[in-house]
């Protein structure tokens, strides 16, 4: 008898976005004359930068000629892209990263989801709450958890909850909470929070002292505007011994439909095997990546390379400025309404506290009905997100202005 992986049935079946979709389409059906503005999903709306398009066109032409055709490439990516990453993402910030520490992939969602495969099933996992759901669900699928309770929290995971008191940067685990793997995401989705150098240093020190590994998701680093905030965890002394870093071109350069990202696994990074011997993680991830992945397509790696050209960097900066102007419009609108909010300065998400103590879904309904604006209920990101709400700055600029105008006029 063929049997399924029972752990899949523990998953709280992708509730958040389907439920948003259901409520929005029901509202649209009942109110066909209303124009709905979506500031909900975390997808970009502006086209790829011109330099990227040009490089991709040229790479397609390379594929059309025998002399310049590319077949299977190196699974971990072409050096022409890794060298740019090494130079512009790391050396420019004083960080040393070797080419064989960089693994080009088709997404940080995939990498943050797949990385747990190289760790023991008994690993004690810490996640922040609220959190990007991928970290949780992939550990559920692997069998590292029990069932979810009625708040959606899985038995066996450690939730490090955060809120206004700590500016959405959770405190370190307590002495009794011995953690092996810690997922951190800064700038954060959904809260827009960033971690200071001091805060990241505390995490690195904690990881060293407790022999834990930090999985650092930096998908939004390009949105940091404050020069004092680290873009990479490797800007912290000693982080190469305790952290894996994930980066993506999805939000930075509009690659959500094009697909390119990378993961850095430093050579110094080790963990114990069952005999207690230290084993380097870089070769393990290399083995996993080369066995189960055949590399990002040549035209897309050329497209990613163009992100680092002079024109590409300028165009990416313009793209980011466009979205961060939306974030400013959202923040100023909320300030004028007296709605408490965070983020939107070093991250493309604004996280607000629902007014009048409404729960996240009640505020969702009110915003939809009174302003015809769609956002994301904070409770969908974890129990600690209840009473909060996420607005995304990835919308069209004119629509964002109109959305905030409608919220100002109509939200009672
Ligand atoms: C969007 C996002 C990513 C990027 O995922 P890709 O698979 O590279 O598109 C990674 N982490 C977080 C938290 C995100 O919100």
């Amino acid at each position: 008898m063929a049997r399924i992986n029972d752990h899949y049935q523990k998953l709280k079946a992708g509730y958040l976005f389907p439920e948003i979709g259901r409520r929005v389409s029901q509202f649209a059906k009942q109110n066909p004359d209303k124009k709905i503005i979506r500031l909900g999903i975390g997808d970009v709306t502006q086209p790829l930068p011109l330099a990227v398009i040009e490089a991709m066109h040229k790479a397609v032409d390379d594929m059309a000629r025998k002399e310049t055709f590319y077949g299977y490439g190196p699974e971990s990516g072409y050096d022409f892209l890794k060298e740019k990453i090494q130079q512009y993402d790391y050396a420019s910030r004083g960080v040393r990263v070797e080419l064989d520490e960089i693994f080009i992939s088709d997404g940080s969602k995939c990498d943050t989801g797949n990385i747990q495969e190289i760790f023991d099933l008994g690993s004690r996992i810490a996640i922040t709450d609220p959190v990007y759901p991928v970290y949780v669900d992939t550990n559920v699928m692997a069998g590292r958890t029990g069932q979810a309770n009625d708040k959606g929290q899985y038995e066996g995971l450690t939730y490090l909850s955060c809120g206004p008191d700590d500016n959405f940067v959770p405190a370190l685990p307590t002495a009794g909470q011995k953690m092996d793997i810690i997922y951190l995401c800064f700038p954060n989705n959904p809260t827009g929070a960033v971690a200071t150098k001091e805060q990241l240093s505390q995490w690195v020190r904690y990881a060293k002292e407790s022999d834990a590994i930090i999985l650092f998701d930096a998908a939004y680093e390009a949105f940091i505007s404050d020069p004092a905030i680290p873009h990479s965890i490797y800007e912290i002394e000693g982080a190469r011994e305790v952290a894996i870093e994930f980066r993506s071109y999805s939000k930075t350069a509009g690659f959500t439909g094009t697909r390119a990202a990378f993961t850095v696994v430093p050579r110094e990074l080790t963990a114990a095997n069952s005999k207690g011997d230290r084993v380097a993680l870089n070769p393990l991830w290399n083995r996993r990546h080369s066995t189960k992945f055949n590399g990002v397509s040549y035209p897309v790696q050329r497209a990613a390379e163009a992100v680092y050209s002079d024109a590409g960097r300028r165009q990416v900066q313009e793209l980011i400025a466009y979205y961060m102007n939306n974030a400013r419009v959202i923040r100023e609108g909320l300030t004028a309404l007296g709605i408490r909010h965070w983020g939107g300065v070093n991250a493309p998400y604004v996280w607000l506290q629902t007014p009048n103590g409404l729960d996240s879904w009640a505020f969702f309904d009110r915003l939809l009905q009174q302003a015809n604006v769609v956002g994301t209920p904070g409770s969908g990101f974890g129990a600690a997100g209840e009473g909060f709400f996420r607005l995304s700055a990835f919308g069209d600029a004119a629509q964002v202005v109109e959305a905030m105008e409608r919220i100002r006029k109509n939200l009672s």
Side-chain angles (χ1 to χ4, degrees), residues 172 184 195-209 214 216 230 232-233 235-239 242:
L172 298 174
L184 294 178
T196 62
K197 195 155 193 173
E198 291 67 38
Q199 287 168 324
L200 287 180
S201 302
Q202 286 177 8
W203 279 104
V204 167
R205 202 174 322 126
Y206 170 85
K208 276 198 163 165
E209 285 166 8
I214 295 171
F216 191 75
S232 166
I233 191 147
E235 290 175 51
I236 309 302
E237 168 113 31
V242 294

Side-chain angles (χ1 to χ4, degrees), residues 42 106-110 132 135 185 189 217 219-220 248-251 256 259-261 349:
D106 59 346
S108 285
K109 177 183 185 174
C110 324
Y132 180 55
Y135 315 149
C185 173
N189 174 15
D217 186 343
Y220 295 96
S248 173
Y249 299 98
S250 283
K251 317 299 163 40
T256 53
R259 314 302 312 142
Y349 297 114

Side-chain angles (χ1 to χ4, degrees), residues 96-101 240-241 264-270 279-283:
R96 173 179 60 90
V97 165
E98 306 299 337
L99 297 190
D100 63 6
E101 296 174 331
R240 286 178 55 88
E241 290 149 52
V264 176
V265 188
R267 292 174 188 161
E268 289 93 322
L269 196 58
T270 65
V279 178
L281 297 185
N282 177 294

